[in-house]
Amino acid sequence: EDQVTQSPEALRLQEGESSSLNCSYTVSGLRGLFWYRQDPGKGPEFLFTLYSAGEEKEKERLKATLTKKESFLHITAPKPEDSATYLCAVQAVSGGSNYKLTFGKGTLLTVNP
Amino acid sequence: DADVTQTPRNRITKTGKRIMLECSQTKGHDRMYWYRQDPGLGLRLIYYSFDVKDINKGEISDGYSVSRQAQAKFSLSLESAIPNQTALYFCATSEPGHHQPQHFGDGTRLSIL
């Protein structure tokens, strides 16, 4: 069974204090790993797709990296508007043709001014 | 206007009632999905559809049914609602193929008393 574990469950940072969120996964054949941002009262908003170990993607203050066992979402010099829940999801070969996403429980990030 | 629109946004109802949640999209995607989100459990797949004539069960389909009325419309029904179906419900869409991210609506908050 595919498993996705995100840590920490919650993270509180001061504005400008860089940090990383972790997503570790156990799947039978990774097709893709997805990062989403979710604001209160909203649906998840797509951020990145990573396909293979060693791949990196960047968007503004966010940088996502991927290894064979985990992904990191690095947040550089965060601002209060980066406060949100960050979700990680994997799509695995074991999901068959349904391209099923298995989601982690998320990391709640709070950035204080 | 939102690309993926869910109605209603909030619903409170009683045990035993039949409820329909609706989803419409303007993204032109063939694939549509229904998820529920519960605190501490993350997002879980209820049903998915790859085109108008294709409906498939997800990991937690018991107690739910769906209808794909058109490429742009996918509705979720609870035939006889029970309190443990209280949750946030999200509709998502995607293009065909793996590596394609799913794009989510802003959800329906459903409370069953």
Side-chain angles (χ1 to χ4, degrees), chain B residues 14-52:
Chain B
K14 295 181 179 180
T15 298
K17 294 291 187 180
R18 184 179 187 275
I19 302 159
M20 179 181 287
L21 309 182
E22 298 186 339
C23 176
S24 63
Q25 53 116 345
T26 58
K27 298 186 77 68
H29 291 166
D30 286 329
R31 300 187 171 188
M32 299 187 73
Y33 311 79
W34 276 105
Y35 289 88
R36 66 177 278 176
Q37 187 176 42
D38 298 274
L41 290 179
L43 283 153
R44 293 179 291 166
L45 182 64
I46 306 173
Y47 269 95
Y48 62 99
S49 169
F50 283 178
D51 63 43
V52 175

Side-chain angles (χ1 to χ4, degrees), chain A residues 1-5 23-34 50-53 66-71 88-96 99-104:
Chain A
E1 183 180 334
D2 301 335
Q3 290 192 338
V4 179
T5 304
C23 171
S24 62
Y25 61 90
T26 305
V27 299
S28 299
L30 181 71
R31 280 193 170 129
L33 185 142
F34 302 83
L50 300 167
Y51 308 129
S52 57
L66 181 66
T67 73
K68 289 186 177 180
K69 294 183 178 180
E70 59 191 348
S71 176
C88 169
V90 298
Q91 188 182 76
V93 172
S94 55
Y99 305 107
K100 171 181 174 294
L101 288 182
T102 300
F103 281 86

Side-chain angles (χ1 to χ4, degrees), chain A:
Chain A
E1 183 180 334
D2 301 335
Q3 290 192 338
V4 179
T5 304
Q6 291 188 245
S7 62
E9 291 184 9
L11 180 63
R12 189 176 293 270
L13 300 173
Q14 289 298 124
E15 185 172 2
E17 179 186 2
S18 302
S19 189
S20 298
L21 312 182
N22 178 264
C23 171
S24 62
Y25 61 90
T26 305
V27 299
S28 299
L30 181 71
R31 280 193 170 129
L33 185 142
F34 302 83
W35 281 99
Y36 287 85
R37 169 192 171 125
Q38 186 174 20
D39 293 297
K42 298 286 189 180
E45 175 189 352
F46 170 69
L47 293 173
F48 303 109
T49 307
L50 300 167
Y51 308 129
S52 57
E55 188 175 5
E56 299 182 353
K57 295 241 177 116
E58 288 189 65
K59 179 180 180 180
E60 296 181 355
R61 295 177 292 282
L62 300 177
K63 178 180 176 180
T65 62
L66 181 66
T67 73
K68 289 186 177 180
K69 294 183 178 180
E70 59 191 348
S71 176
F72 291 94
L73 185 65
H74 306 278
I75 303 176
T76 302
K79 298 182 178 181
E81 53 262 42
D82 294 322
S83 297
T85 296
Y86 290 85
L87 301 174
C88 169
V90 298
Q91 188 182 76
V93 172
S94 55
S97 60
N98 69 12
Y99 305 107
K100 171 181 174 294
L101 288 182
T102 300
F103 281 86
K105 297 177 182 179
T107 293
L108 174 61
L109 174 66
T110 304
V111 182
N112 296 315

